[in-house]
Amino acid sequence: MVARFVQNPVLDATKISYESRQVFNAGVCKFKGKYIMVFRNEVGITPTGWSHGENNVRTVLGVADSDDGIHWVPRQTPWELPDRIVSSDPEFIRFYDPRLTVIEDRCYLCFAIDTRHGLRGGIAVTDDFVNFEILSMSVPDDRNMVLFPERIDGKFVRLERPMPVYSRSTAEAFDIWLSKSPDCRYWGESKLVLGAEQVPYANSKIGPAAPPVKTSEGWLTTFHATYKDMERNLKGWETSVWPASVWHKEYMGGLMLLDLKDPSKVIGIASQPLLKATESYELDGFRGSVIFPGGMLLEDNGEVKIYYGAADTVECLATAKVDDLLRMIDLRM
């Protein structure tokens, strides 16, 4: 039911005019008559072997434009937003994983930001992808935030993934939650949406992926699901630095349907993954066997475009008919 674009990846480091090692985990929207992509661009990683840490990894956000949502033209310089935020406070380290949602003709940007006292999630708003206003930032540890594309009962609504350690049975049993806000600044009324234990193909954390899409049957919503197998080496960057190390987390795309009036209520989920790594560009890279949806658009003809990061290295596209995706929701809650 889901077809990968035959010319995947749709964007990679070779197409970027400034320094780039990895292009992935992009947010995508339609804004003022054009398709806009804001992507995570990793720089400062040594070309002779993967290395990691705040001293040798730097992240910027790039912007690309498209007339058809398929062929993308990256802008000549990165968006200054991350650098301006990080330089504004010595507490901040790096800004990444953008998610885009258009609400009432304004584009809202959800993001993750590493700080010296934990990973935080934030929301900003822009009208031109040059200027921006930060509306809110969470306390640690909360991330993977995505906004619904309209107010529900007059309130902004977001999905998010807090990261409890002491209060769950295993260290990475992270779940999907929902919160509401009157102004996109102050958040509350938080509820659990989906627990990791409810996903048949996950034995570790889950979390939001692309912002939800409205259909007649409910909010069609992607999520990421992680399966951890300590016996498998899935080709992470660690192996080239420490040969005895193992990358053992497989990331898949999942699909669920949420109630239109009460999106904290799960109508059902797909009992099989929406997307699972099978292609070479998904299996090999900075993180092997990683698929992470970050954007989903419903076209007027019923086609759904699903944009996803592959192997934490490139940005890809898959398509499906919305009716087929709704038929995938076979495990009712």
Side-chain angles (χ1 to χ4, degrees):
M1 294 183 183
V2 180
R4 288 166 170 81
F5 180 49
V6 294
Q7 296 179 29
N8 268 344
V10 293
L11 198 63
D12 61 37
T14 66
K15 300 180 176 72
I16 309 302
S17 58
Y18 43 90
E19 186 181 4
S20 179
R21 299 289 186 206
Q22 302 150 248
V23 171
F24 63 109
N25 287 6
V28 181
C29 69
K30 278 185 179 179
F31 189 63
K32 297 183 178 180
K34 294 202 73 172
Y35 294 85
I36 302 288
M37 175 187 290
V38 179
F39 54 89
R40 174 176 173 175
N41 183 69
E42 299 282 277
V43 299
I45 299 171
T46 58
T48 55
W50 300 115
S51 58
H52 197 61
E54 69 175 83
N55 293 326
N56 54 25
V57 175
R58 180 169 171 265
T59 304
V60 299
L61 296 188
V63 181
D65 303 279
S66 175
D67 292 324
D68 57 9
I70 298 173
H71 303 94
W72 294 91
V73 179
R75 298 184 185 179
Q76 293 299 302
T77 57
W79 193 9
E80 293 181 1
L81 185 152
D83 280 348
R84 287 156 65 188
I85 291 176
V86 169
S87 63
S88 69
D89 191 324
E91 173 71 9
F92 301 148
I93 298 171
R94 64 181 187 137
F95 178 113
Y96 56 100
D97 283 357
R99 302 288 179 263
L100 304 180
T101 307
V102 177
I103 307 172
E104 299 166 3
D105 298 323
R106 305 195 77 193
C107 188
Y108 291 79
L109 175 86
C110 297
F111 58 88
I113 183 166
D114 290 341
T115 79
R116 301 187 190 283
H117 292 86
L119 191 159
R120 301 171 67 182
I123 301 173
V125 63
T126 183
D127 297 305
D128 55 13
F129 292 92
V130 176
N131 302 297
F132 65 95
E133 178 187 4
I134 294 181
L135 301 175
S136 71
M137 288 183 61
S138 72
V139 296
D141 282 307
D142 197 358
R143 65 170 300 181
N144 297 130
M145 295 174 181
V146 296
L147 287 166
F148 284 76
E150 64 183 55
R151 298 184 195 230
I152 300 173
D153 292 332
K155 296 180 180 179
F156 291 90
V157 182
R158 76 183 183 194
L159 298 174
E160 58 199 322
R161 204 281 306 279
M163 297 179 284
V165 176
Y166 296 113
S167 57
R168 293 287 270 135
S169 58
T170 59
E172 283 192 327
F174 305 153
D175 314 302
I176 299 173
W177 286 69
L178 176 146
S179 295
K180 300 178 181 179
S181 171
D183 54 9
C184 216
R185 295 179 185 273
Y186 302 99
W187 293 87
E189 301 182 68
S190 302
K191 286 185 178 181
L192 175 69
V193 175
L194 187 70
E197 71 281 357
Q198 294 176 279
V199 179
Y201 42 88
N203 66 358
S204 184
K205 59 189 175 183
I206 64 170
V213 165
K214 190 176 187 179
T215 75
S216 59
E217 295 187 27
W219 293 104
L220 194 61
T221 307
T222 58
F223 59 90
H224 67 271
T226 309
Y227 189 86
K228 189 185 299 185
D229 185 347
M230 303 302 290
E231 301 301 318
R232 296 177 67 196
N233 187 348
L234 298 174
K235 303 178 183 177
W237 63 268
E238 299 94 337
T239 303
S240 62
V241 180
W242 302 295
S245 65
V246 175
W247 167 246
H248 52 261
K249 296 179 187 177
E250 180 179 12
Y251 280 72
M252 295 162 277
L255 191 68
M256 63 181 172
L257 189 66
L258 306 178
D259 186 82
L260 286 175
K261 293 183 178 180
D262 179 8
S264 69
K265 178 182 177 182
V266 181
I267 297 171
I269 69 172
S271 60
Q272 298 295 321
L274 171 70
L275 282 166
K276 181 181 171 73
T278 59
E279 307 304 307
S280 59
Y281 53 82
E282 300 163 348
L283 295 168
D284 298 317
F286 186 75
R287 294 288 198 190
S289 296
V290 170
I291 282 179
F292 206 114
M296 182 166 63
L297 300 177
L298 175 57
E299 305 287 12
D300 292 339
N301 63 0
E303 181 187 67
V304 178
K305 289 183 173 70
I306 303 163
Y307 299 89
Y308 65 97
D312 279 6
T313 304
V314 295
E315 186 65 23
C316 299
L317 170 66
T319 59
K321 291 295 184 182
V322 66
D323 291 340
D324 288 338
L325 294 181
L326 289 169
R327 277 193 288 270
M328 287 182 67
I329 307 297
D330 57 347
L331 184 58
R332 297 285 162 161
M333 298 297 187

